[in-house]
Amino acid sequence: VIKVAVAGATGYTGQELVKLLVGHPEVHIQALLCHSHEGQTYSDLFPQFIGEVDLPLLHHSAINQVVHQCDVLFLALPHGAAASLVDEELLSAVKVIDLGSDFRLKQASLYDKWYEMAHPGPHLLNSAVYGLPEWNRVAIKKANLVANPGCYATTVLLSLMPLMLAGASLTDTVIVDAKSGVSGAGRALSLPVHYNECNESVKAYKVASHRHTPEIEQELAQMAQKEVKLLFTPHLVPMSRGILSTAYVTLNNGASVGQLKKLYEDQYKNEPFVKVLSSESPETNRVSGTNNCHISINFDERTGSAVIIGALDNLVKGAAGQAVQNMNLVCGLPETSGLVRRQMLTPA
Amino acid sequence: VIKVAVAGATGYTGQELVKLLVGHPEVHIQALLCHSHEGQTYSDLFPQFIGEVDLPLLHHSAINQVVHQCDVLFLALPHGAAASLVDEELLSAVKVIDLGSDFRLKQASLYDKWYEMAHPGPHLLNSAVYGLPEWNRVAIKKANLVANPGCYATTVLLSLMPLMLAGASLTDTVIVDAKSGVSGAGRALSLPVHYNECNESVKAYKVASHRHTPEIEQELAQMAQKEVKLLFTPHLVPMSRGILSTAYVTLNNGASVGQLKKLYEDQYKNEPFVKVLSSESPETNRVSGTNNCHISINFDERTGSAVIIGALDNLVKGAAGQAVQNMNLVCGLPETSGLVRRQMLTPA
Amino acid sequence: VIKVAVAGATGYTGQELVKLLVGHPEVHIQALLCHSHEGQTYSDLFPQFIGEVDLPLLHHSAINQVVHQCDVLFLALPHGAAASLVDEELLSAVKVIDLGSDFRLKQASLYDKWYEMAHPGPHLLNSAVYGLPEWNRVAIKKANLVANPGCYATTVLLSLMPLMLAGASLTDTVIVDAKSGVSGAGRALSLPVHYNECNESVKAYKVASHRHTPEIEQELAQMAQKEVKLLFTPHLVPMSRGILSTAYVTLNNGASVGQLKKLYEDQYKNEPFVKVLSSESPETNRVSGTNNCHISINFDERTGSAVIIGALDNLVKGAAGQAVQNMNLVCGLPETSGLVRRQMLTPA
Amino acid sequence: VIKVAVAGATGYTGQELVKLLVGHPEVHIQALLCHSHEGQTYSDLFPQFIGEVDLPLLHHSAINQVVHQCDVLFLALPHGAAASLVDEELLSAVKVIDLGSDFRLKQASLYDKWYEMAHPGPHLLNSAVYGLPEWNRVAIKKANLVANPGCYATTVLLSLMPLMLAGASLTDTVIVDAKSGVSGAGRALSLPVHYNECNESVKAYKVASHRHTPEIEQELAQMAQKEVKLLFTPHLVPMSRGILSTAYVTLNNGASVGQLKKLYEDQYKNEPFVKVLSSESPETNRVSGTNNCHISINFDERTGSAVIIGALDNLVKGAAGQAVQNMNLVCGLPETSGLVRRQMLTPA
């Protein structure tokens, strides 16, 4: 049995993670930590867990004791907090899966620029492993520190990596127009996600300036073996959860939708959590509550553009589910353990 | 007083139109026509109109008598139906504002291809006037047959025409990613807009194949004086009304966001219904129930792309409100009559 | 022209009031006041008002100067604030319409108990007039201080007053189960109305302890000429606006649905804003954005109970619209002025 | 391993049932049957099941062959259809769990009246067992034909049975005001559940005439050992799933909230799926996707009334989850098998 602790257990990502961990057949939750509810029972705060998770919450400051009783520590914290907490000593005691953004970028200077603060632990960036299992499985299995990708990044990377690997993009710019449910903004109170402000409304935000941009560019460029520029526009959509990303890539003239589909189907045919749809377009409610990502392949001959659409649940495959998937890999468990209703075949 | 009739009065567009017309200070509703509810009172069908619109509905077949008592006939009918109905004789009796798609394209062959049927009245296409007042005001004032633009088309054209006029697009392809509320799908029952199918979900549909594409290309090309190709992806969003379109255009390197904003502000400064936002991003609930279109201008230096975002209410500026605006022009009334809470200045 | 000021102009009720006032043909908005946005332009805060309400906001502390330039002062403030502000001197300068709860109860002791604070101005309670026009029109016309009813209270009173007047209730207890959209909770941030907390969920709150209870009992008892006890359960429903109340009253055995309908129809037949539905059940979207209240009459012979269902828009007939209706009465304007698309007949 | 078939597998209840069955550790799905999609793969129709349920659908007419390969047959059919299908021969081949309403009422005459048709198989009513495990566990274990309770009935009965058993109701009438998400109306297209008709709206429907009324009265009366009359008003709320029922019962004067809570806690303390909340009010999103029912106990001293609020997921505890719970009992499996993330203690 894998003993785990969760820091930041009261946010939306934390709650989803606890829900998955409590149902995982190989996991025991050792401790739940938080900032403001020390001493309260988890199920008192969140009645959906009555009779299931009646643990009292610990304060984050107890983390250094806690890790000595654990195999894996999950961090679901605001940016900056994880990197302030993790050091070699901690990593010698426990394997860390960080659901935040502190260990995703390889260059501290990029972090400093996009997050507008000096990275608290730049020397750890090299040893952190980017936790996108479908494209980095081997390295994750050996990692002590896994940087779980952002929710947008997961959607976009799963949608675009096959094209990058094939060197199919004619230009160095890709455009991604993404739509997210409101849970992506977290549980902290703020006017834009007050019910009446965002209900019955769609808007773009952080146009061409969202912090997942450099993370996506980094991974695309590494796969394409050349610079890739991302023009990324996230939108807020009135629903609780789900991300849909619509990616536009200019291709060589000779491309066909059949070739493209084959490329994706070959790439993902053994993946338990990525499904290339044959004809339907992805809908976020089809993946809600699952660790699945649905992808559809379209090609517009009139403009020579591929339109790749991906959908996933931002709280599951975009966060907590992928973190559990990474934990499975790090701990040598079957990759789908605790994430599927029935055991499915994992890639050989 | 302008006497009007509405054919197709029971759809969502029809209801919105009736709501606007009943509040218009210069209009008298002479007749409401429909397909399936002949004899029923409008307010029996739609209790929101109790005490306001208690007219009995007539059958569409009465239209030829009705027009002789009217100055303006609004058509809110499925495609194909309007073109089957309108002929020279009808146009000699009444001015027609068609909210459908039958008279928007100048080339019948394009209609035949995108609508997969032979256009029922191709000889009328030349005399029909495209009813986008901000860009075609002079012609509309003299029209007998106005083709009210599609809801997506209105959003996209108001967003992109200034760039086309300035010849600013570096490539011949523009990409538009649009998001619409569910009323855009109309009142006819179908599974994709059954509540539980589309609630809490986002999806793309008719990727690169939506019928508003040729209409938008036609108008953009005419303004740009060169071919323009549109890659257009509409999405369905779980809200009742509203459209947001996010348009991506590659510009010359020397462009700046300041120049772009000035271009738009100069273009629209006297327009009563188009607002160029200074810093906020458009939100559909800010324009809901109004005839306004909000536009924001963004420029991404990293990729040399303008990101122009437009928002409007698909049932108002995208349909019924614009139809009333066109009626005002056709009838020589102040352009904002019946469309604003207070009279605003119209362009000289 | 009536000159008005609004204190508390930035809340949801304040915004709705400004929207109605800007469209009112006989009103000039002299000043908008608020707590935290002094100096900002109203349309900067709320882009839906661009070009329409570009007034700079004043601080509440300017109110004593402002009133000397006004005929009517609207107060949309938290409870306690209005009663601290209003005194004889203010009332000698301006007529006040308070949209809050400070002047609704006749007994200060009831206020002290339900609002858990000492009423700041109990001597004014007697001169304040309860602003439910359908049942108190004569007194409102002569009032200097109008206490606009609560949103729940308006729905319930319009639903039950005819039964009380007829002395029809067999018991002294009535049960009201009400459902409200989220805007009823206001614009102040709080976890229960954070989007993801209340979306896709229904819950009861303040069971048998909501503060509108004594206000409703006071008015029902006065009409019934005997004590009336209200068991009131409000519920939060995932929609932006609207209230539906379902009221259960035990009747004498001889009652019939026909008699009941006639009672209501006779009572309300000349009312411009109350509609007794003949067969349909009220739906909140049918009254959304209007000053109308829809009521349906049901009688269950098996249990001898009347089930009276009322629906209105909590921000309009439940707040800002009714405040304008009261202003019309106070100022001698037609009661429907600024509240209907077309002028309707008002009661003689 | 229990072999099961599902007739009516394409409705919302059917889909939820398939989702639960595919995750059940002791179940093998032998066949899925439907009316209109024979030959299509289940995951083609419902992409959320790709890679999980790729079975081709059979036509309902194959049911008589199918049952010979099965241990349990689930019926999720419109009323009338199940009773036309089930006979002694079928019951000799397979155990039947009917999720519809055909076998819930003991008196065929009540069925004839409320369902406005002659019951197709009245001789089976006596042998059918009402499948509310918390109150009928012993009988269910021995049943060949289980009548799964209605979604409203489950909520109301779990909320009121302890009071009935205690003989606490002072009058013979109880009032229940219930609120349901839209999935309760099923997947068949109809205007009231077209997205734009029910979004942003609340309404009552079938006031005092809903078909779950006699079913609830039958069970309450049997528990109370006297006649009980139910005044039941269901409401439609704009959310996908969830039921909240608010029940009003007049009690003897000496009652206290403490006594009431103890009554419920004692009754349900060993129940795995019923949780009596200590202070919070139930919210439907807290039980969404689970087989749990949350109940809160309130007592209004002013009117001597208990207000019992219950919440559950209409598709799970209100339908498919309870059907699986019944299957577990019928087949001698642990009652919570396939329904909880972790095995919980079942009552001794």
Side-chain angles (χ1 to χ4, degrees):
Chain A
V1 164
I2 310 294
K3 293 180 183 171
V4 305
V6 178
T10 60
Y12 290 136
T13 298
Q15 289 177 54
E16 192 75 17
L17 185 55
V18 171
K19 191 167 88 172
L20 289 171
L21 293 171
V22 82
H24 195 295
E26 309 290 340
V27 164
H28 174 75
I29 298 177
Q30 193 75 16
L32 300 176
L33 302 99
C34 70
H35 187 70
S36 325
H37 299 281
E38 182 187 357
Q40 282 188 269
T41 300
Y42 201 67
S43 55
D44 278 352
L45 270 181
F46 307 116
Q48 60 267 43
F49 288 102
I50 293 177
E52 210 174 36
V53 188
D54 298 325
L55 284 176
L57 283 154
L58 304 180
H59 189 265
H60 279 152
S61 57
I63 206 158
N64 285 310
Q65 296 98 287
V66 162
V67 293
H68 291 288
Q69 309 152 7
C70 292
D71 303 297
V72 174
L73 170 65
F74 292 95
L75 301 176
L77 302 171
H79 76 266
S84 303
L85 188 78
V86 178
D87 56 18
E88 284 80 358
E89 194 184 327
L90 187 96
L91 289 172
S92 71
V94 72
K95 301 206 175 192
V96 172
I97 297 174
D98 178 27
L99 287 85
S101 52
D102 281 2
F103 300 107
R104 294 173 188 160
L105 295 175
K106 290 300 167 198
Q107 299 177 44
S109 60
L110 270 181
Y111 183 94
D112 301 354
K113 176 184 163 197
W114 286 83
Y115 290 87
E116 295 168 326
M117 62 175 281
H119 192 287
H123 60 291
L124 291 171
L125 292 179
N126 259 337
S127 61
V129 172
Y130 195 72
L132 187 65
E134 288 76 7
W135 292 93
N136 210 20
R137 192 168 276 125
V138 174
I140 295 166
K141 287 183 181 175
K142 296 180 284 191
N144 284 320
L145 171 56
V146 176
N148 215 51
C151 51
Y152 283 124
T154 301
T155 326
V156 176
L157 292 173
L158 291 176
S159 295
L160 291 182
M161 290 295 249
L163 284 183
M164 296 300 118
L165 179 61
S169 177
L170 197 65
T171 68
D172 63 354
T173 292
V174 297
I175 294 176
V176 174
D177 190 288
K179 300 90 187 165
S180 174
V182 182
S183 60
R187 197 161 168 261
L189 300 185
S190 76
L191 193 58
V193 293
H194 194 59
Y195 186 85
N196 273 62
E197 299 293 318
C198 58
N199 187 40
E200 293 294 298
S201 202
V202 178
K203 69 165 179 175
Y205 67 100
K206 295 185 187 161
V207 178
S209 62
H210 191 278
R211 285 164 171 171
H212 288 183
T213 304
E215 170 188 351
I216 298 169
E217 286 183 339
Q218 166 185 287
E219 299 300 311
L220 292 179
Q222 185 178 323
M223 188 58 57
Q225 304 275 11
K226 63 170 185 177
E227 189 189 23
V228 177
K229 288 191 215 150
L230 173 67
L231 172 47
F232 179 53
T233 315
H235 296 74
L236 192 66
V237 166
M239 58 186 195
S240 286
R241 51 167 79 194
I243 282 183
L244 189 92
S245 86
T246 309
Y248 301 91
V249 184
T250 309
L251 298 191
N252 287 301
N253 279 329
S256 77
V257 69
Q259 289 172 324
L260 291 175
K261 278 197 182 169
K262 184 164 182 344
L263 184 71
Y264 277 75
E265 283 163 0
D266 288 351
Q267 182 64 46
Y268 289 131
K269 65 174 179 286
N270 292 322
E271 287 297 339
F273 298 121
V274 182
K275 312 289 176 190
V276 182
L277 301 189
S278 53
S279 58
E280 290 214 34
S281 200
E283 307 182 32
T284 60
N285 62 358
R286 303 284 197 189
V287 292
S288 185
T290 80
N291 201 49
N292 294 331
C293 177
H294 284 186
I295 296 176
S296 77
I297 315 299
N298 308 273
F299 182 66
D300 179 40
E301 294 190 9
R302 298 170 64 254
T303 59
S305 300
V307 184
I308 313 294
I309 303 173
L312 51 73
D313 185 326
N314 58 309
L315 294 178
V316 188
K317 182 59 175 169
Q322 188 147 268
V324 171
Q325 191 178 354
N326 282 318
M327 178 200 74
N328 288 340
L329 290 170
V330 162
C331 297
L333 299 172
E335 188 169 335
T336 61
S337 189
L339 294 170
V340 291
R341 298 189 199 102
R342 287 258 162 116
Q343 196 57 35
M344 290 188 290
L345 286 177
T346 55
Chain B
V1 164
I2 309 295
K3 293 181 184 170
V4 305
V6 178
T10 60
Y12 290 137
T13 298
Q15 289 177 56
E16 192 75 18
L17 186 56
V18 170
K19 191 167 86 173
L20 290 170
L21 292 171
V22 82
H24 195 295
E26 309 290 339
V27 164
H28 175 75
I29 299 177
Q30 193 75 16
L32 301 175
L33 302 99
C34 71
H35 187 70
S36 325
H37 298 281
E38 182 187 357
Q40 282 188 272
T41 299
Y42 200 67
S43 55
D44 278 352
L45 270 182
F46 308 116
Q48 60 268 43
F49 288 102
I50 293 176
E52 210 174 38
V53 187
D54 298 325
L55 284 176
L57 283 153
L58 304 181
H59 189 267
H60 279 152
S61 57
I63 206 159
N64 285 309
Q65 297 96 286
V66 161
V67 293
H68 291 288
Q69 310 152 7
C70 292
D71 302 299
V72 174
L73 170 66
F74 292 96
L75 302 176
L77 301 172
H79 77 265
S84 302
L85 188 78
V86 177
D87 56 18
E88 283 80 359
E89 193 185 328
L90 188 96
L91 290 171
S92 70
V94 72
K95 301 205 176 193
V96 171
I97 296 175
D98 178 28
L99 288 85
S101 52
D102 282 2
F103 298 107
R104 294 173 187 160
L105 296 174
K106 290 299 169 200
Q107 298 177 44
S109 61
L110 272 180
Y111 184 94
D112 300 354
K113 177 184 164 198
W114 286 84
Y115 290 86
E116 295 168 326
M117 61 175 281
H119 192 288
H123 60 291
L124 291 172
L125 292 179
N126 259 337
S127 60
V129 172
Y130 195 70
L132 188 66
E134 288 76 9
W135 292 92
N136 210 21
R137 193 168 275 126
V138 174
I140 296 167
K141 287 182 182 176
K142 294 179 286 189
N144 284 318
L145 171 57
V146 176
N148 215 51
C151 50
Y152 284 124
T154 301
T155 325
V156 176
L157 292 173
L158 291 176
S159 294
L160 290 182
M161 290 295 249
L163 284 182
M164 296 300 119
L165 179 61
S169 177
L170 198 63
T171 67
D172 62 354
T173 292
V174 297
I175 294 177
V176 174
D177 190 289
K179 300 88 187 165
S180 173
V182 182
S183 60
R187 197 161 168 259
L189 300 184
S190 76
L191 193 58
V193 293
H194 194 58
Y195 187 85
N196 272 61
E197 299 293 318
C198 57
N199 187 39
E200 292 295 296
S201 201
V202 178
K203 68 166 181 175
Y205 66 101
K206 293 185 189 160
V207 179
S209 62
H210 191 279
R211 285 165 171 170
H212 288 183
T213 304
E215 170 188 351
I216 299 170
E217 287 184 338
Q218 166 185 288
E219 299 299 311
L220 292 179
Q222 185 178 323
M223 189 59 58
Q225 304 275 10
K226 64 170 184 176
E227 190 190 22
V228 177
K229 287 192 216 151
L230 172 69
L231 172 46
F232 178 55
T233 316
H235 295 74
L236 192 66
V237 166
M239 58 186 194
S240 286
R241 52 167 79 194
I243 281 182
L244 189 91
S245 86
T246 309
Y248 302 91
V249 184
T250 310
L251 298 191
N252 287 301
N253 279 331
S256 77
V257 69
Q259 289 172 324
L260 291 175
K261 276 197 184 169
K262 184 164 181 345
L263 185 70
Y264 278 74
E265 284 162 0
D266 287 352
Q267 181 66 47
Y268 289 131
K269 64 174 181 284
N270 292 321
E271 287 297 338
F273 298 121
V274 182
K275 312 287 177 190
V276 182
L277 301 189
S278 54
S279 58
E280 290 213 34
S281 201
E283 306 182 33
T284 59
N285 63 356
R286 304 284 197 188
V287 291
S288 186
T290 79
N291 200 49
N292 293 332
C293 178
H294 283 186
I295 296 176
S296 77
I297 315 298
N298 308 272
F299 182 65
D300 179 40
E301 292 191 9
R302 299 168 65 256
T303 59
S305 300
V307 184
I308 313 294
I309 303 174
L312 51 73
D313 185 327
N314 59 308
L315 293 178
V316 187
K317 182 60 177 170
Q322 186 146 270
V324 170
Q325 190 179 354
N326 281 318
M327 178 200 73
N328 289 340
L329 290 170
V330 162
C331 298
L333 298 172
E335 188 169 335
T336 60
S337 187
L339 294 170
V340 290
R341 297 189 200 102
R342 287 259 163 118
Q343 195 58 34
M344 290 188 290
L345 284 177
T346 55
Chain C
V1 163
I2 310 294
K3 293 180 182 171
V4 305
V6 178
T10 60
Y12 290 136
T13 298
Q15 289 177 56
E16 192 75 17
L17 186 56
V18 171
K19 191 166 87 172
L20 289 171
L21 292 171
V22 82
H24 195 296
E26 309 290 339
V27 164
H28 174 75
I29 299 177
Q30 193 76 16
L32 300 176
L33 302 99
C34 70
H35 187 70
S36 325
H37 299 280
E38 182 187 356
Q40 282 187 270
T41 299
Y42 201 68
S43 56
D44 278 352
L45 270 181
F46 307 116
Q48 60 268 41
F49 288 102
I50 293 177
E52 210 175 37
V53 188
D54 299 324
L55 282 176
L57 282 153
L58 304 181
H59 189 267
H60 280 151
S61 57
I63 205 159
N64 284 310
Q65 295 98 286
V66 161
V67 292
H68 292 288
Q69 309 152 6
C70 293
D71 302 298
V72 174
L73 170 65
F74 292 95
L75 302 175
L77 301 171
H79 76 266
S84 302
L85 187 79
V86 177
D87 56 17
E88 284 81 357
E89 193 185 327
L90 188 96
L91 289 172
S92 70
V94 72
K95 301 206 175 193
V96 171
I97 296 174
D98 179 27
L99 287 83
S101 52
D102 282 1
F103 299 107
R104 295 173 188 159
L105 296 174
K106 291 299 168 197
Q107 298 178 44
S109 61
L110 271 181
Y111 183 95
D112 300 354
K113 177 183 164 198
W114 287 84
Y115 289 87
E116 294 168 327
M117 62 175 281
H119 193 288
H123 60 292
L124 290 171
L125 292 179
N126 259 336
S127 60
V129 172
Y130 195 71
L132 187 66
E134 288 77 8
W135 292 92
N136 210 20
R137 192 168 277 125
V138 173
I140 295 167
K141 288 182 182 177
K142 294 180 284 190
N144 283 320
L145 171 56
V146 176
N148 215 51
C151 51
Y152 284 124
T154 300
T155 326
V156 176
L157 291 173
L158 292 175
S159 294
L160 291 182
M161 291 294 248
L163 284 182
M164 296 300 118
L165 179 61
S169 177
L170 197 63
T171 67
D172 62 355
T173 292
V174 296
I175 294 177
V176 174
D177 191 288
K179 301 89 187 164
S180 174
V182 182
S183 60
R187 196 159 169 261
L189 300 184
S190 77
L191 193 58
V193 292
H194 195 59
Y195 186 85
N196 273 61
E197 299 293 318
C198 58
N199 187 40
E200 292 295 297
S201 202
V202 178
K203 68 166 180 175
Y205 66 101
K206 295 186 188 160
V207 178
S209 61
H210 191 279
R211 285 165 171 170
H212 288 184
T213 305
E215 170 188 350
I216 298 170
E217 286 183 339
Q218 166 185 287
E219 299 300 311
L220 292 179
Q222 187 178 321
M223 188 58 58
Q225 304 275 11
K226 64 170 185 177
E227 189 188 23
V228 177
K229 288 192 216 149
L230 172 68
L231 172 46
F232 179 55
T233 315
H235 297 74
L236 192 66
V237 166
M239 59 186 194
S240 287
R241 53 168 77 195
I243 282 183
L244 189 91
S245 87
T246 310
Y248 302 91
V249 184
T250 309
L251 298 192
N252 286 303
N253 280 330
S256 77
V257 68
Q259 288 172 324
L260 291 175
K261 278 198 181 169
K262 184 162 181 346
L263 185 70
Y264 278 74
E265 284 162 359
D266 287 352
Q267 182 64 47
Y268 289 131
K269 64 173 180 286
N270 292 321
E271 287 297 339
F273 298 122
V274 183
K275 312 288 177 190
V276 182
L277 301 189
S278 53
S279 58
E280 290 214 34
S281 201
E283 308 182 32
T284 59
N285 62 357
R286 303 284 197 190
V287 291
S288 185
T290 80
N291 201 49
N292 294 332
C293 178
H294 283 186
I295 297 177
S296 76
I297 315 299
N298 307 273
F299 182 66
D300 179 40
E301 293 190 9
R302 299 169 64 254
T303 60
S305 301
V307 184
I308 313 294
I309 302 173
L312 51 72
D313 185 326
N314 58 308
L315 294 178
V316 188
K317 183 59 176 169
Q322 187 147 267
V324 170
Q325 190 179 354
N326 281 318
M327 179 200 73
N328 288 340
L329 289 170
V330 162
C331 298
L333 299 172
E335 188 169 335
T336 61
S337 187
L339 294 170
V340 291
R341 296 189 201 103
R342 287 259 162 117
Q343 195 58 34
M344 290 187 291
L345 285 178
T346 55
Chain D
V1 163
I2 309 294
K3 293 180 182 170
V4 306
V6 178
T10 59
Y12 290 136
T13 298
Q15 289 178 55
E16 192 74 18
L17 186 56
V18 170
K19 191 167 87 173
L20 290 170
L21 292 171
V22 82
H24 194 295
E26 310 290 340
V27 164
H28 174 75
I29 299 177
Q30 194 74 18
L32 301 175
L33 302 99
C34 71
H35 187 71
S36 324
H37 299 280
E38 181 187 358
Q40 281 188 271
T41 299
Y42 200 66
S43 55
D44 278 352
L45 269 182
F46 307 116
Q48 60 267 44
F49 288 101
I50 293 177
E52 211 174 37
V53 188
D54 298 325
L55 284 177
L57 283 154
L58 304 181
H59 189 268
H60 279 152
S61 56
I63 207 159
N64 285 308
Q65 296 97 287
V66 162
V67 293
H68 292 287
Q69 310 152 7
C70 292
D71 302 299
V72 174
L73 170 65
F74 292 96
L75 302 176
L77 302 172
H79 75 266
S84 302
L85 188 78
V86 178
D87 56 19
E88 283 80 359
E89 195 185 327
L90 187 97
L91 289 171
S92 71
V94 72
K95 300 205 176 193
V96 171
I97 297 174
D98 179 28
L99 288 85
S101 52
D102 282 2
F103 299 107
R104 294 173 187 160
L105 295 175
K106 290 300 168 198
Q107 297 178 45
S109 60
L110 271 180
Y111 183 95
D112 300 355
K113 177 185 162 196
W114 285 84
Y115 291 86
E116 295 169 324
M117 61 176 281
H119 193 288
H123 59 292
L124 291 170
L125 292 179
N126 259 337
S127 60
V129 172
Y130 195 70
L132 187 66
E134 289 76 8
W135 292 93
N136 210 20
R137 193 168 276 127
V138 174
I140 295 166
K141 287 182 183 177
K142 294 180 286 190
N144 284 318
L145 172 56
V146 176
N148 216 51
C151 51
Y152 284 123
T154 300
T155 327
V156 176
L157 291 173
L158 291 175
S159 296
L160 290 182
M161 290 295 249
L163 284 183
M164 296 299 119
L165 179 60
S169 176
L170 198 64
T171 66
D172 63 353
T173 292
V174 297
I175 294 176
V176 174
D177 190 289
K179 299 89 187 165
S180 174
V182 182
S183 61
R187 196 161 168 260
L189 300 184
S190 76
L191 193 58
V193 293
H194 194 58
Y195 186 84
N196 273 61
E197 299 294 317
C198 58
N199 187 41
E200 292 294 296
S201 201
V202 178
K203 68 166 181 174
Y205 66 101
K206 294 184 189 161
V207 179
S209 62
H210 191 279
R211 285 164 171 171
H212 288 184
T213 304
E215 170 187 351
I216 298 170
E217 287 183 339
Q218 166 185 289
E219 299 300 310
L220 292 179
Q222 185 177 324
M223 188 59 58
Q225 304 274 11
K226 63 171 185 177
E227 190 190 20
V228 177
K229 287 192 216 152
L230 172 68
L231 172 46
F232 178 55
T233 316
H235 296 74
L236 192 66
V237 166
M239 58 187 195
S240 286
R241 51 167 80 194
I243 282 182
L244 189 92
S245 86
T246 310
Y248 302 91
V249 184
T250 309
L251 298 190
N252 286 301
N253 280 330
S256 77
V257 69
Q259 289 173 324
L260 291 176
K261 277 197 182 168
K262 185 163 180 348
L263 184 71
Y264 278 76
E265 284 162 0
D266 288 352
Q267 182 65 46
Y268 289 130
K269 65 174 180 283
N270 291 322
E271 287 297 338
F273 298 121
V274 182
K275 313 287 177 191
V276 181
L277 301 189
S278 53
S279 58
E280 291 214 34
S281 201
E283 307 182 32
T284 59
N285 63 357
R286 304 283 197 190
V287 292
S288 186
T290 81
N291 201 48
N292 294 332
C293 178
H294 284 186
I295 297 176
S296 77
I297 315 298
N298 308 272
F299 182 65
D300 179 39
E301 292 190 10
R302 299 168 65 255
T303 60
S305 300
V307 184
I308 313 294
I309 303 174
L312 51 73
D313 185 326
N314 59 308
L315 293 178
V316 188
K317 182 59 177 170
Q322 187 146 270
V324 170
Q325 191 178 354
N326 282 319
M327 178 200 74
N328 289 340
L329 290 171
V330 162
C331 298
L333 300 171
E335 188 170 335
T336 61
S337 188
L339 294 171
V340 291
R341 296 188 202 103
R342 288 257 162 118
Q343 195 58 35
M344 290 188 290
L345 285 178
T346 55

